[in-house]
Amino acid sequence: MSRYLAYSDPSVHRAHVARIEKEAPKARLPVVLVGPEKEFKTYLTNGDYRGGSRVCCGGRFVTGQLWPNSISTIVMTVGPGFCYFKFLLPRVLEPDELYFGSFLGGSQTVLAAVILLCFMLASFTNPGIVPRSAAIPQELVPNYLDMQGNPLSRFLRINNVTVKQKFCLTCRIFRPPRSKHCSYCDNCVLRFDHHCTWLGNCIGLHNYRYFVVLIYCATIFLIECIYVAFRILHNLSLDIYGPGVDTFEWFCTLGEEPTLVGFLMYCMVLVVAVLLLSIYHTVIVLQNLTTNEHVRNYYKENPFDFGPPRNCWQIYCHPERVLAEGDDRLQADYGPHPSVSDDESVYEELAA
């Protein structure tokens, strides 16, 4: 979003303090509906794009590693899911209870639809590709170049915390706050969270919400699948051994349904993975951190953390904001900021 790009303005330095706008950036509909803002759309559609993804629909959608990443994930989820709805779920529900005739059938149908939708959106939505510059900005020449002719890193003052802002030599820009250059997709991505191998796409500003809904819904769906599988096995053990079935006889029943047991193990492995992901992303959202920031331990003091309620409000409802509250005040310098000590350990890296 354009407010993020303002933090990358190479002409800003300590002598020039810019309060970008006191009023918050206007809320926008999802990029899949209205497309990216003008600066981003121009770069993505006018033949200037140089990244590793394929862009379509005016910059709304991108495709990364379709094969084997996205396609193999689709096969491994849609195939078992179809068999589950066709052969397993009907064994615990009456014909009139399937789909929307019961809570179990209705919830499974809704969750499956949401999972498919969010999978497609997370996999193919433009995550927030940052426009590249054709050359090193002239504002940096020659005073702010190192011995090799590359621009120096600079320091931003965000919410009273000094953070280090690196210059991306591939995109020839100062990376916007919380951005990172993805080596898989060859793009700088706004609010980069991680590159998801299973989806074949980066998870960033525009598709993070879809990713979170995907893992939350997948967790609930898989728990219900496990419940259905155990219920089928329980009913089968009652049919074979009667009401007095014991634990040994119940385990003997597993040999009668090897395919069901395989499906059950498959679901149990998946539910552990997505449950842990769900817990992890809940924790970092409450702290207003990305996976990239948390894993690399970027901040000793997180300038973007305004408390769990405001953090959730920003991430899920107003991702166009750089800060959850307050004005966007841009202050940059190429040396130690006067408000902090000269000890380099006080500086937090803004992007790797």
Side-chain angles (χ1 to χ4, degrees):
M1 304 229 176
S2 57
R3 185 61 57 92
Y4 279 86
L5 291 186
Y7 281 83
S8 297
D9 185 353
S11 65
V12 175
H13 51 81
R14 184 160 55 113
H16 179 191
V17 179
R19 185 179 298 276
I20 297 175
E21 282 183 11
K22 288 190 175 181
E23 60 185 50
K26 293 182 179 179
R28 301 183 78 250
L29 291 172
V31 69
V32 296
L33 297 178
V34 299
E37 293 178 272
K38 183 179 178 180
E39 300 95 321
F40 299 88
K41 185 175 181 179
T42 300
Y43 167 68
L44 294 171
T45 59
N46 284 8
D48 299 325
Y49 177 65
R50 295 293 182 269
S53 303
R54 290 174 289 277
V55 180
C56 58
C57 299
R60 291 175 173 83
F61 301 103
V62 300
T63 57
Q65 296 79 42
L66 277 177
W67 176 256
N69 303 55
S70 302
I71 294 177
S72 61
T73 303
I74 292 173
V75 171
M76 289 189 295
T77 53
V78 174
F82 173 81
C83 294
Y84 171 77
F85 276 98
K86 181 71 174 177
F87 303 110
L88 298 182
L89 189 58
R91 294 177 64 176
V92 298
L93 297 177
E94 299 297 330
D96 60 342
E97 293 181 331
L98 288 174
Y99 308 116
F100 296 102
S102 66
F103 174 78
L104 180 60
S107 62
Q108 291 263 272
T109 302
V110 171
L111 286 170
V114 173
I115 288 170
L116 286 175
L117 176 62
C118 288
F119 176 86
M120 300 302 289
L121 290 173
S123 296
F124 301 115
T125 297
N126 173 0
I129 297 174
V130 180
R132 296 189 182 189
S133 176
I136 293 176
Q138 289 301 308
E139 294 90 341
L140 306 181
V141 180
N143 296 328
Y144 302 114
L145 303 181
D146 62 18
M147 298 293 292
Q148 298 177 330
N150 297 323
L152 299 168
S153 297
R154 67 180 186 179
F155 300 94
L156 295 180
R157 189 73 174 163
I158 299 177
N159 193 24
N160 296 319
V161 176
T162 300
V163 293
K164 187 176 182 179
Q165 185 180 36
K166 290 188 175 181
F167 188 89
C168 180
L169 296 178
T170 302
C171 299
R172 300 188 181 92
I173 59 169
F174 282 110
R175 294 172 185 163
R178 322 192 78 176
S179 302
K180 183 181 186 297
H181 191 93
C182 175
S183 58
Y184 295 96
C185 299
D186 195 21
N187 298 308
C188 273
V189 176
L190 293 176
R191 202 183 185 278
F192 177 88
D193 190 82
H194 68 285
H195 180 87
C196 184
T197 303
W198 298 102
L199 300 179
N201 193 12
C202 289
I203 303 300
L205 184 71
H206 294 315
N207 60 352
Y208 181 74
R209 292 176 291 181
Y210 308 133
F211 172 78
V212 172
V213 174
L214 170 64
I215 58 177
Y216 284 167
C217 289
T219 300
I220 300 172
F221 181 82
L222 287 167
I223 290 173
E224 290 187 343
C225 289
I226 292 171
Y227 163 76
V228 168
F230 274 111
R231 187 171 164 184
I232 292 173
L233 291 171
H234 176 69
N235 293 340
L236 182 61
S237 65
L238 292 178
D239 292 340
I240 296 175
Y241 298 105
V245 58
D246 58 27
T247 303
F248 176 77
E249 291 170 335
W250 188 90
F251 276 101
C252 290
T253 307
L254 301 180
E256 302 293 329
E257 292 279 353
T259 303
L260 177 60
V261 173
F263 176 79
L264 177 60
M265 297 301 295
Y266 177 74
C267 289
M268 293 180 73
V269 170
L270 288 182
V271 78
V272 170
V274 294
L275 177 60
L276 291 176
L277 269 178
S278 298
I279 295 172
Y280 175 77
H281 280 276
T282 299
V283 171
I284 64 173
V285 163
L286 294 177
Q287 301 176 45
N288 207 333
L289 288 170
T290 66
T291 299
N292 183 57
E293 291 167 343
H294 182 261
V295 170
R296 301 176 71 91
N297 194 24
Y298 274 161
Y299 310 117
K300 296 180 181 67
E301 180 183 355
N302 183 5
F304 305 102
D305 184 5
F306 288 86
R310 299 294 292 178
N311 293 340
C312 293
W313 175 82
Q314 178 202 3
I315 292 169
Y316 294 132
C317 302
H318 292 279
E320 73 279 355
R321 292 172 175 260
V322 178
L323 297 172
E325 62 182 40
D327 301 332
D328 289 287
R329 182 182 180 89
L330 179 57
Q331 187 173 1
D333 195 10
Y334 292 88
H337 195 276
S339 61
V340 297
S341 71
D342 292 335
D343 183 0
E344 189 175 356
S345 64
V346 302
Y347 298 129
E348 316 288 357
E349 284 203 26
L350 188 64

